[in-house]
Amino acid sequence: MQRETRKLTKRERDELQGVVAWSTQIGRAFLFLLVLFFVGAIFRSLFALVAIDTPIWFVPTAILAYFLYRRAGRWTGGQAFRRLVRQDIENGEACVTVIRPVDVTEIEELEDEGPSYIVKTDENDWVVLSGQEMVAHKLRGFPWAQFSVDEAPHSSMFFGLTRMGDPVPLNRTLPPLRYELARDLGAASGTFTVLDESRVALLDEVFAGE
């Protein structure tokens, strides 16, 4: 796969800045506190029903707050991810990976998670593209004979695909994968994943029912 860098477009820079903007962080904090307010009110009412006057309702609320805080860090990437985004903004460059597919498998979407594509390149690499972002690209005629994956080099924030060739037919279409298999392939954690040897070995299971 051919990799190169270019300057960030205004749209891409705006996307990155939106992630670390104070308004975004304040909005997340407000939603977090709003959820805890309602949860705390529910626990307080439940304890009141069983005639417990001590503020012990605060304990399950605090436990849930800790759980939500840790989970939110995984969903949003936390402070470490925001540091990488700031590094991308300061660097001012996007990473462009040019792909020429020779084999494309579409994995049908499960519920509203978007389709996944397992792509073998002309250099014998395997990559996975997945997520709701792929719905729009599918409507544009994806897969193409050549395209680029545009992302931020440090945070790996996905900007989209750039079409560089005509549409090509799919080699096969398969039903949704088991969650565990999709997770191990990387299809459940990011839009663009380059498969290493251990993940390439999982493709035998993917294609077993072909």
Side-chain angles (χ1 to χ4, degrees):
M1 294 178 293
Q2 176 186 347
R3 284 190 172 92
E4 54 189 39
T5 59
R6 58 165 173 77
K7 289 185 178 180
L8 290 171
T9 66
K10 182 180 183 304
R11 177 186 65 82
E12 292 166 348
R13 182 178 291 276
D14 289 344
E15 286 187 32
L16 292 171
Q17 290 176 335
V19 173
V20 297
W22 278 108
S23 58
T24 302
Q25 297 181 54
I26 291 172
R28 288 174 180 165
F30 175 78
L31 290 175
F32 180 77
L33 293 175
L34 187 64
V35 169
L36 288 186
F37 173 81
F38 283 109
V39 170
I42 292 172
F43 278 127
R44 185 175 183 180
S45 298
L46 290 174
F47 279 95
L49 287 175
V50 294
I52 298 178
D53 296 329
T54 57
I56 197 172
W57 57 269
F58 180 80
V59 175
T61 303
I63 293 173
L64 183 61
Y66 175 77
F67 173 79
L68 288 177
Y69 179 79
R70 292 293 299 272
R71 180 62 63 176
R74 294 180 185 176
W75 289 334
T76 63
Q79 294 182 2
F81 176 71
R82 288 192 289 273
R83 281 196 296 270
L84 293 175
V85 170
R86 292 188 181 97
Q87 190 174 350
D88 284 322
I89 294 173
E90 182 178 352
N91 188 47
E93 292 183 337
C95 179
V96 177
T97 304
V98 178
I99 295 174
R100 290 176 290 273
V102 297
D103 188 283
V104 182
T105 300
E106 179 180 309
I107 307 297
E108 296 175 337
E109 67 177 318
L110 180 64
E111 297 178 349
D112 61 346
E113 296 178 358
S116 297
Y117 295 90
I118 300 174
V119 180
K120 182 179 182 180
T121 75
D122 64 342
E123 297 180 0
N124 207 35
D125 294 311
W126 290 89
V127 303
V128 173
L129 295 159
S130 59
Q132 294 180 342
E133 294 90 346
M134 296 307 300
V135 174
H137 296 302
K138 181 179 179 178
L139 293 174
R140 294 173 54 212
F142 184 85
W144 304 300
Q146 180 171 310
F147 62 93
S148 69
V149 178
D150 306 329
E151 58 182 350
H154 297 100
S155 64
S156 296
M157 187 167 166
F158 181 76
F159 295 134
L161 305 180
T162 298
R163 173 176 172 174
M164 304 170 71
D166 295 329
V168 293
L170 294 166
N171 292 88
R172 64 191 66 80
T173 300
L174 300 177
L177 301 178
R178 293 183 295 104
Y179 172 76
E180 293 79 9
L181 182 55
R183 178 199 61 200
D184 292 344
L185 278 174
S189 58
T191 305
F192 174 55
T193 304
V194 180
L195 302 187
D196 57 20
E197 290 185 3
S198 63
R199 285 177 166 174
V200 169
L202 296 173
L203 296 179
D204 290 338
E205 183 177 352
V206 173
F207 298 138
E210 185 182 350

